[in-house]
Amino acid sequence: MRTGSEPATARSALRARFWLCVWGVAWAAFGTVAFALAGRPGWAVACGVLWLVITIDMAMVVRHIRQGPHYQPGRDIPPYRPPEGRPYRPPPPRDRYP
């Protein structure tokens, strides 16, 4: 059931994000070293900045994983409840044939 609050209560697959970050860190580190050895300082700096951004993202993902089921729900954690103060309004009906 859609409640309209999905952007505020969305959950992400943190373990998948973590492993994508590991993959990204490995490639960004490789790119930084490879471009530095190849004499391409601009590309090496770009890969280094990407490496830094990915590392910060990985730190946030690990922090959320360690905070428990609020951020990393298991199968026994139900989805968020709809916000209490607002009544549920179903979406307007669509034309069956456009």
Side-chain angles (χ1 to χ4, degrees):
M1 171 176 77
R2 290 185 52 92
T3 62
S5 65
E6 283 81 9
T9 59
R11 299 179 183 181
S12 66
L14 293 176
R15 288 185 191 101
R17 271 184 63 192
F18 172 77
W19 288 110
L20 287 172
C21 285
V22 169
W23 182 255
V25 163
W27 278 105
F30 173 77
T32 302
V33 171
F35 283 123
L37 293 176
R40 300 284 197 168
W43 284 105
V45 168
C47 285
V49 169
L50 183 62
W51 186 2
L52 178 65
V53 169
I54 296 169
T55 303
I56 291 170
D57 183 45
M58 187 171 13
M60 293 301 297
V61 167
V62 169
R63 178 175 172 257
H64 285 169
I65 288 173
R66 289 186 179 187
Q67 284 181 342
H70 177 72
Y71 284 103
Q72 184 61 29
R75 294 179 184 198
D76 56 338
I77 305 296
Y80 287 116
R81 299 184 72 197
E84 290 297 327
R86 295 190 267 160
Y88 172 70
R89 287 181 283 157
R94 289 196 240 160
D95 291 337
R96 190 164 192 176
Y97 299 103

